[in-house]
Amino acid sequence: KLQENFTEKETLAGEIYYNQGFCDAVKLIVQSLAWEPVRR
C-alpha cells in the first residue's frame, strides 16, 4: 500500500513537471512570435 501511494505521488509530480515545461515552451513560442515584427 505504501509503494502504491509513493508511485501515485511520483506520477502526479511527473505530470505537473511535464505540464509546466509544456506551458513554458508555449510562452516562449508566443514571445518569439510577438517579438518578430519588432526586429523587422
Side-chain angles (χ1 to χ4, degrees):
K1 185 156 172 98
L2 193 63
Q3 180 66 34
E4 280 178 27
N5 197 13
F6 177 75
T7 305
E8 189 180 315
K9 284 194 173 25
E10 201 174 51
T11 305
L12 189 62
E15 285 176 9
I16 291 169
Y17 181 76
Y18 175 81
N19 288 338
Q20 186 62 47
F22 182 74
C23 182
D24 288 347
V26 170
K27 281 183 192 167
L28 187 65
I29 291 167
V30 170
Q31 282 179 351
S32 318
L33 292 174
W35 277 99
E36 194 68 35
V38 176
R39 274 183 279 176
R40 285 182 184 169

